[in-house]
Amino acid sequence: MEEDDIYTKDGTIDYKGNPANKKETGTWRACPFIIGNECCERLAYYGMSSNLVIYMKHILNQSSATATKNNSDWSGTCYTTPLIGAFLADAYFGRYWTIAIFSIIYVIGMTLLALSASVPGIKPRCYAKDDCDPTEAQSAVFFVALYLVALGTGGIKPCVSTYGADQFDDTDEGEKKHKGSFFNWFYFSINVGALIASSVLVYVQMNWSWGWGFGIPAIAMAIAVVSFFSGTRLYRYQKPGGSPFTRLFRVIVASIRKYKTKVPADKALLYEIANDDESNIKGSRNIEHTKDFSFFDKAAVETETDNVKDSINPWRLCTVTQVEELKSIIRLLPIWATGIIFAAVYSQMSNLFVLQGDQMNKFVGHSTFEIPSASLSVFDTLSVIFWVPIYDKIIMPSARKITGYKHGLTQLQRMGIGLIISVFAMVSAAVLELVRLDMVRRHNSYDVKEVPISVFWQVPQYFLIGCAEVFTFIGQLEFFYQEAPDAMRSLCSALSLTTVALGNYLSSLLVTITMSITTRNGKPGWIPDNLNYGHIDYFFWVLAVMSVLNVGAFFFISKWYTYKTPLGTLR
């Protein structure tokens, strides 16, 4: 990008070589390539991850608790690495090149994973179905591939949704009104990919081969890369604003250095660079001063010692916009924290729900067709695909008539509804396990591999989580994008994704604590290899209670939160 490239007011840039007229770039004409990339990437991710706990248990010969813990740890890492990608995108590369670079790392990881399950010598030797004996080297290759994929996701997850939203100009009312719908349809595309993964690919893994089961996702990821590059000339580009972490630390350091300095009553006296709403941060507009967290305003108070050799010392004097960036992050953190327990509930779909279904009758009716337990996640996907258009076309317009808000429900209201629904998902899972264990006791069938109760009784718990996703996860995507400072949108998107990481780590920690306590004195514990001897229903009840407490905390915090754009202006 060069100096004569043309920027819009929201910090985006038309690619050099296109007409300067912004009608030639961005909006929905650019989004199909971004959404296509996300659809294929999610197909690759879920095609690999949906059945991963089964692969770890039966092919890598791990116990139920170990497989669950390893799967949760890896999933958590996939949602932690976005902090790396977001930092690089906001500070140095921009979202376009960050997505491009990390997508290539992703393809390499997926290819190595496919090889680890198909090439003799690398793949574990199996003597019969579910009877394998992997070497340490074979397990190491598998985990290297797995964590390369986790690194690859780090540059994609925080950037793709925000990059798509960047294609709509916030200063253009005609474009801005489409941004909310973009997030809905973006999440819809995620679940189209997940639908194919949890149905077709899981079946291939369980009934054909793991090599093809991982190979097809690798091919899908390659298609995702092609889709993304195909839209290059239509994209609007975000100019990197420099290291967001450095700017935040400068405000903290400057505030502490000036802790004795008095903030003037007239906030117009605070230091700011006036330049037609453009701040000194590349790709960012000035942010108006707010009254919260006034201690940090000290960083914007000019004193005689702020200048060094006729230039401003950035570790002693910061602009109001820099101060407000820090305040924005602080305001987001309590809302962010309430997403962790919801993510722990969500993570059960690829962990205990799969193991629970694995010990139920998986035949369809009286036929000989057996459905893999991981394929039940298709009902979560179908739920999302069902609820997204319902929300976009029915719920949002109906709510708009009642509330007067442009989007019908505020983002926090939407997230809160999803948190409530997630409680019922855990209750549903716990009740089903109670019924399943009661059948085991009545028929004394503890050592039977499959209890004669249909796996399709799991559908309600999957469907409820899908419904909760539409409200909480999509609301979260939009909320963190809308409330983020211009030059920190990738970082804030990554911040929202870390709730999923911490939710997985929380699930892993709960499993570790649970097994440590419940296996004392020779007891099998709540999550043994044979769940007929366990009590995962207790584990589900624990998550249900934690979710109820989390809902209460969320509503308390929501009342305290002040939106960046006052709600009155949304009418």
Side-chain angles (χ1 to χ4, degrees):
M1 290 183 277
E2 301 179 12
E3 292 299 324
D4 57 343
D5 288 330
I6 297 175
Y7 291 84
T8 61
K9 286 186 178 179
D10 63 342
T12 56
I13 177 173
D14 287 353
Y15 186 73
K16 187 172 177 61
N18 273 346
N21 188 342
K22 73 176 184 179
K23 291 184 179 180
E24 299 295 325
T25 60
T27 67
W28 284 110
R29 69 176 56 84
C31 288
F33 299 98
I34 297 170
I35 289 176
N37 168 273
E38 182 67 6
C39 182
C40 292
E41 187 274 326
R42 290 292 85 185
L43 188 156
Y45 179 83
Y46 288 115
M48 171 195 60
S49 65
S50 296
N51 216 19
L52 205 56
V53 70
I54 296 296
Y55 185 87
M56 290 178 176
K57 181 176 180 179
H58 296 314
I59 307 300
L60 296 185
N61 201 22
Q62 297 178 351
S63 67
S64 294
T66 300
T68 299
K69 184 179 183 301
N70 284 337
N71 192 33
S72 293
D73 288 343
W74 172 75
S75 297
T77 303
C78 285
Y79 288 91
T80 302
T81 53
L83 288 172
I84 300 172
F87 170 76
L88 293 174
D90 282 342
Y92 303 111
F93 300 153
R95 289 189 258 282
Y96 175 85
W97 284 111
T98 301
I99 294 170
I101 293 168
F102 281 79
S103 291
I104 294 170
I105 295 173
Y106 201 133
V107 171
I108 294 171
M110 288 298 307
T111 302
L112 182 59
L113 187 67
L115 294 175
S116 74
S118 56
V119 176
I122 300 179
K123 71 174 183 177
R125 176 177 293 183
C126 294
Y127 307 99
K129 186 178 181 181
D130 302 342
D131 182 16
C132 301
D133 184 24
T135 65
E136 290 186 6
Q138 289 166 343
S139 295
V141 171
F142 169 80
F143 279 105
V144 166
L146 209 59
Y147 279 88
L148 274 176
V149 171
L151 178 60
T153 62
I156 299 173
K157 285 180 184 292
C159 296
V160 175
S161 62
T162 50
Y163 193 54
D166 284 344
Q167 306 308 311
F168 301 92
D169 188 351
D170 276 343
T171 63
D172 186 320
E173 288 300 321
E175 292 188 16
K176 186 177 179 180
K177 68 180 182 181
H178 292 295
K179 189 173 288 188
S181 289
F182 165 78
F183 285 110
N184 286 332
W185 293 106
F186 176 83
Y187 205 77
F188 181 88
S189 73
I190 289 175
N191 284 274
V192 170
L195 176 64
I196 299 171
S198 57
S199 54
V200 177
L201 293 181
V202 169
Y203 181 81
V204 169
Q205 291 163 358
M206 298 302 291
N207 296 280
W208 193 1
S209 79
W210 284 100
W212 277 108
F214 291 149
I216 294 172
I219 294 170
M221 190 57 215
I223 295 172
V225 175
V226 172
S227 173
F228 180 73
F229 281 119
S230 297
T232 296
R233 292 183 61 80
L234 295 175
Y235 298 145
R236 295 174 183 172
Y237 295 77
Q238 181 74 23
K239 191 173 183 179
S243 171
F245 293 116
T246 301
R247 293 198 303 275
L248 296 177
F249 282 124
R250 281 174 174 171
V251 174
I252 294 171
V253 170
S255 301
I256 294 173
R257 281 180 165 183
K258 298 179 179 178
Y259 73 97
K260 292 183 178 180
T261 303
K262 186 176 180 181
V263 178
D266 183 2
K267 299 306 182 287
L269 297 177
L270 295 176
Y271 179 66
E272 183 59 282
I273 296 177
N275 184 23
D276 296 329
D277 290 334
E278 294 291 326
S279 76
N280 65 326
I281 303 167
K282 295 179 181 179
S284 177
R285 294 163 291 187
N286 280 338
I287 305 175
E288 293 184 7
H289 176 268
T290 60
K291 296 179 181 179
D292 300 342
F293 311 111
S294 58
F295 173 79
F296 296 110
D297 290 338
K298 295 177 185 291
V301 178
E302 293 190 72
T303 63
E304 294 180 358
T305 57
D306 291 336
N307 294 315
V308 178
K309 296 181 180 179
D310 298 324
S311 64
I312 297 295
N313 182 349
W315 293 94
R316 290 198 62 88
L317 181 63
C318 304
T319 65
V320 170
T321 295
Q322 288 175 269
V323 172
E324 291 303 318
E325 280 188 331
L326 177 61
K327 290 182 180 181
S328 295
I329 297 298
I330 294 173
R331 289 190 197 99
L332 289 173
L333 288 178
I335 300 295
W336 166 83
T338 59
I340 297 172
I341 291 177
F342 175 80
V345 169
Y346 176 79
S347 73
Q348 302 315 309
M349 284 199 304
S350 59
N351 289 307
L352 290 182
F353 283 14
V354 177
L355 296 179
Q356 181 188 42
D358 202 41
Q359 294 200 231
M360 298 172 71
N361 177 19
K362 297 184 284 295
F363 289 97
V364 180
H366 298 289
S367 70
T368 58
F369 180 76
E370 187 176 18
I371 183 172
S373 58
S375 287
L376 266 291
S377 63
V378 74
F379 290 99
D380 162 73
T381 305
L382 289 172
S383 177
V384 173
I385 291 174
F386 171 79
W387 281 108
V388 164
I390 293 293
Y391 184 91
D392 200 55
K393 302 299 182 183
I394 298 176
I395 296 177
M396 189 163 68
S398 300
R400 186 184 297 132
K401 294 177 182 178
I402 298 171
T403 64
Y405 299 145
K406 180 170 58 177
H407 297 299
L409 298 173
T410 67
Q411 294 140 353
L412 291 177
Q413 287 171 341
R414 182 173 185 173
M415 291 163 63
I417 291 171
L419 294 181
I420 293 171
I421 295 171
S422 71
V423 176
F424 293 100
M426 281 296 95
V427 171
S428 176
V431 170
L432 175 60
E433 186 63 11
L434 276 173
V435 173
R436 197 188 72 81
L437 289 177
D438 182 62
M439 184 174 290
V440 169
R441 283 191 293 269
R442 283 190 289 108
H443 296 281
N444 195 28
S445 53
Y446 288 94
D447 295 317
V448 174
K449 186 176 180 181
E450 293 183 356
V451 176
I453 179 172
S454 175
V455 72
F456 288 101
W457 282 106
Q458 284 190 309
V459 170
Q461 62 206 54
Y462 280 103
F463 193 83
L464 284 168
I465 286 187
C467 182
E469 283 182 69
V470 170
F471 285 90
T472 296
F473 275 157
I474 301 179
Q476 197 176 59
L477 271 175
E478 187 176 357
F479 176 75
F480 277 86
Y481 180 88
Q482 194 64 41
E483 296 300 296
D486 292 339
M488 299 179 70
R489 280 176 167 165
S490 293
L491 179 65
C492 287
S493 178
L495 190 65
S496 72
L497 291 169
T498 57
T499 62
V500 181
L502 293 176
N504 277 278
Y505 291 142
L506 174 61
S507 176
S508 176
L509 178 63
L510 289 174
V511 168
T512 301
I513 294 172
T514 294
M515 293 304 290
S516 175
I517 295 173
T518 61
T519 54
R520 293 173 182 171
N521 301 319
K523 295 179 181 179
W526 287 5
I527 314 174
D529 288 341
N530 184 346
L531 297 183
N532 294 337
Y533 289 98
H535 269 294
I536 61 170
D537 54 321
Y538 293 171
F539 191 86
F540 291 147
W541 285 120
V542 168
L543 284 175
V545 171
M546 291 174 69
S547 296
V548 170
L549 296 175
N550 189 52
V551 169
F554 177 82
F555 282 113
F556 175 78
I557 293 168
S558 296
K559 288 185 177 180
W560 166 82
Y561 187 82
T562 302
Y563 284 91
K564 185 170 73 173
T565 302
L567 291 179
T569 65
L570 297 178
R571 291 182 180 272

